[in-house]
Amino acid sequence: MADTTTKTAQTAASAARDTLDQATSAGNEGVRQAQRAANQGMEFGTQAVNAYVEAGKTASAAMSDVNRAITDAYSRSLADYNALSQRALSVKSLQDVVDLQASALQQMQTNLTTMADIYGQFVNGLTKTFEPMVSRASDAASQVTQAARQATPRGA
């Protein structure tokens, strides 16, 4: 009976050690996974901040270019309309009026084309501004999906 009790106690102790070892191993793996997740979170955050900084730089440069283009167009337009005003004051015949109207129409078309170009420059600047953020968001989504697949226990 003593042998049976001793053997049962040894079996119980061995099972307890195995259970403790398994629990310790599972706990250590959980800590490792939590550390990996924390590191990935920090990396995602750093990459997102870098994307926003890059987008800010791009937006600043794009808006500077757009502002410069608007200022240049405005200056040219004022000079051109000044010349048209002087021509208007020197009109002496019906042909002068027709020529003045043709010049005014041409100037208006030129200004509309210039504004369309500036608008295109603005849209291009916005596109370039948001590219790093969209790319980063796409990369982050892929990385999170991949991390989730790796963290999911097999058979779950």
Side-chain angles (χ1 to χ4, degrees):
M1 172 107 155
D3 281 343
T4 304
T5 305
T6 304
K7 201 171 207 178
T8 301
Q10 288 174 346
T11 303
S14 176
R17 277 192 300 275
D18 289 346
T19 302
L20 181 62
D21 289 345
Q22 289 174 355
T24 302
S25 177
N28 288 340
E29 181 59 28
V31 168
R32 282 191 292 276
Q33 286 181 358
Q35 287 173 334
R36 277 194 301 269
N39 289 341
Q40 286 175 341
M42 288 293 293
E43 183 180 335
F44 292 161
T46 300
Q47 290 173 356
V49 167
N50 289 342
Y52 288 126
V53 167
E54 186 63 32
K57 289 177 184 177
T58 303
S60 178
M63 291 306 105
S64 177
D65 292 345
V66 167
N67 285 335
R68 189 175 317 108
I70 289 172
T71 301
D72 291 347
Y74 182 70
S75 295
R76 279 192 313 273
S77 180
L78 281 177
D80 292 341
Y81 280 121
N82 184 37
L84 281 174
S85 296
Q86 290 176 356
R87 279 183 65 187
L89 294 173
S90 68
V91 168
K92 294 183 181 149
S93 68
L94 184 57
Q95 184 60 44
D96 290 344
V97 171
V98 171
D99 291 344
L100 178 64
Q101 285 180 330
S103 294
L105 180 61
Q106 178 60 42
Q107 184 56 47
M108 187 175 76
Q109 289 174 336
T110 300
N111 287 343
L112 288 174
T113 301
T114 300
M115 291 313 291
D117 290 344
I118 291 171
Y119 179 74
Q121 188 177 3
F122 176 76
V123 169
N124 187 35
L126 285 179
T127 302
K128 285 182 181 178
T129 296
F130 287 105
E131 279 176 355
M133 290 183 289
V134 170
S135 175
R136 178 64 206 121
S138 176
D139 291 348
S142 296
Q143 289 175 359
V144 167
T145 301
Q146 183 180 15
R149 285 184 185 146
Q150 290 174 353
T152 303
R154 303 221 186 261

